[in-house]
Amino acid sequence: MYFASRLRAFAGAAALITASAIAHAQAALPNVVILATGGTIAGAGASAVNSATYSAAKVPVDKLIAGLPELSKVANVRGEQVFQVASESLTNDNLMTLAKRVSALSKQADVDGIVITHGTDTLEETAYFLTLTVHTNKPIIVVGSMRPGTALSADGALNLFDAVNVAASKDAMGKGVLVTMNDEIQSGRDVAKTVNIKTEAFKSQWGPLGMIVEGKNYWFRAPAKRHTMQSEFDIDTITALPAVEIVYGYQSVPSTAIDAFAKSGVKAIVHAGTGNGSVADRIVPVLQKVRSDGTIVVRSSRVPDGFVIRNAEQPDDKYDWVVAHDLRPQKARILTMVALTKTNDTKELQRIFWEY
Ligand code: DAS
C-alpha cells in the first residue's frame, strides 16, 4: 500500500512537472498572429481532384490553424479574420485597414511576428504596400496557396507552416515584408505571380531571398531597396490613397482609356508600355497633355522582367515623365499611390522609384 501510494504521488508529481515543463516550453515560443483575408488558401473545392475549380475565401482562420497542429511546436499562434474575400476584389480601403492592423500589432510587445493569409492574385500588391508603409523590424510574411486545402497535393498547409516558421524566426527580422510560397522565401517587393495555375507560381527576376526546408531558413541574399524601418512612408500617418490607374500598351491602342481616366481626375497614370516601356506615337501627345494638366505619368512595361531605362524609348526629362525602374505596372501603381501621399514633384518621385 505504502509503495503504491508513493508511486501514485510520484506519478502525480511527475505529471505536474511535465505539465509545467510543457507550459513553460510553450510560453517560451514566439507569439505569431495570423491575419486572414481570404483567397485560395482559405478555399474549398467539391472534390479532391478540384485543384483549379473551387470557391476561394471559405475557410475561417481558426479552422486553418486547427488544421495545422504542427504550428503549436513552432509558435503560440492566434488568428484574426480581417476579411474573407478573393484578393482580386480587395480595394485601397481594404489595403489601408489591413496595413494599419499590421502596424498596430507590430508595436505590441507580445507579438513577435505576423502572417497574412491572402489570395494569390494580388498578393504581390499587398506585400509591396506593407513593405513600403509598416515601420517594424519584426517579420511580416504574406502567404497564399495555388490549390485549396481540399485538393490532392494542396500547397496551403506547407506554405502556411513555412510562413509561421519564418514569422517566428529572429533571422527573418529586418528583411522587409516576405512571401513564403513553394519552399521559397521571396522579397515582398520583388515577387510576382508569374504562372496562374502552378504551385511554383511566384517568382522574382532577382531570385528568392532564400528557402525554407523542414522549418529551417536558408538565406542567400538580402533586399537591396528601402523598406519598413528605412521607409519614409508610414501607414500610421497615411489617411487616404490617391487614385492611380494603369493603361496597357498594344498594337492600335486608342487613347480612350487615358482620356477617361484623365477626365475622372486621377492623380497619376501608369502606362504599361511595350518593350522597354515604349509608347505608341499617337499616344505620346495624349500623355503629354495629361502631364501638362498636372497628372503624373509613370512609364512602366508590360514585359515582366528587365527594367525601364530613363530617356531611352522616350525623352522622359523633356516630357517630365517618371520611369518605373524594374517595377511591374501593378507595383508601380502601389508605389505611385504611396509616393503621392508625400510629394507630386517628379524629381522626388523619380528618386523614390530608384530607392524603393
Ligand atoms: N482568386 C484568387 C485570389 O483570391 C484565388 C487565389 O489564388 O488565392 O487571389
Side-chain angles (χ1 to χ4, degrees), residues 45-94:
S47 90
V49 296
N50 287 126
S51 60
T53 312
Y54 57 84
S55 301
K58 292 294 173 204
V59 180
V61 64
D62 292 341
K63 210 170 163 200
L64 288 179
I65 295 169
L68 207 43
E70 293 78 4
L71 292 180
S72 63
K73 299 186 185 65
V74 172
N76 296 310
V77 177
R78 69 175 179 83
E80 292 181 12
Q81 193 77 44
V82 185
F83 315 117
Q84 185 67 295
V85 294
S87 74
E88 63 269 20
S89 303
L90 289 171
T91 65
N92 284 354
D93 288 347
N94 295 144

